[in-house]
């Protein structure tokens, strides 16, 4: 909380994303995005899923201004899938959907580092079909 308070003193607006149970007293931030704090229906959404939903909303609202094509964020789903599977959240509901679509993106991922990692592990992208 001290870091958020200091950021406020320094004139920096802070957006906190989290998916854990919140503290009793929340920091004074510009926004707190946590499905366990608000009315979001998927309470067990993984941390990467929370950030992905933030990116979706940002693209929807500001994408045209920043010349980000609507739907661009789907190409982030490979990383969301890896994070979701690593986060040990229940693979139900939205976590399952994010993982499933993310696996489809993963087999087409243009990320060189990810391609090299999969090759080093002798994993063919077709395994994600």
């Amino acid at each position: 909380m001290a870091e958020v308070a200091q950021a406020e003193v320094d004139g920096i607006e802070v957006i906190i994303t989290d998916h854990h149970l919140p503290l009793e007293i929340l920091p004074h931030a510009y926004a707190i995005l946590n499905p366990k704090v608000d009315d979001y229906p998927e309470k067990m959404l993984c941390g990467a899923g929370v950030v992905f939903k933030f990116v979706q909303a940002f693209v929807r609202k500001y994408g045209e201004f920043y010349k980000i094509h609507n739907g661009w964020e789907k190409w982030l789903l490979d990383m969301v899938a890896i994070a979701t599977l690593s986060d040990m959240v229940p693979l139900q509901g939205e976590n399952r959907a994010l993982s499933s679509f993310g696996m489809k993106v993963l087999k087409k991922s243009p990320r060189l580092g990810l391609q090299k990692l999969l090759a080093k592990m002798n994993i063919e992208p077709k395994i994600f079909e």
Side-chain angles (χ1 to χ4, degrees), residues 85-100:
L85 296 169
S86 301
D87 209 1
M88 296 180 55
V89 293
L91 281 179
Q92 301 172 342
E94 203 163 357
N95 287 325
R96 186 177 193 89
L98 291 171
S99 296
S100 177

Side-chain angles (χ1 to χ4, degrees), residues 55-64 68-73:
V55 170
Q56 275 188 316
F58 183 90
V59 169
R60 192 169 293 141
K61 184 163 184 161
Y62 300 108
E64 190 174 321
I68 302 170
H69 300 295
N70 194 25
W72 164 86
E73 68 276 9

Side-chain angles (χ1 to χ4, degrees), residues 1 4 13-18 26-34 50:
M1 280 207 255
V4 176
E13 294 177 333
V14 176
I15 298 173
I16 298 171
T17 64
D18 194 7
L26 298 174
H28 184 263
Y30 179 77
I32 297 176
L33 308 176
N34 182 334
V50 174

Side-chain angles (χ1 to χ4, degrees), residues 14 17 19-20 24 28 34-35 38 42 83-84 87 92-94 97-99 103 105 110-111 116-117 121-122:
V14 176
T17 64
H19 71 120
H20 297 100
E24 282 188 37
H28 184 263
N34 182 334
D38 57 33
E42 183 61 67
T84 300
D87 209 1
Q92 301 172 342
E94 203 163 357
L98 291 171
S99 296
M103 289 299 174
V105 173
R111 300 176 201 286
K116 297 284 186 185
L117 179 64
M121 296 169 52
N122 294 320

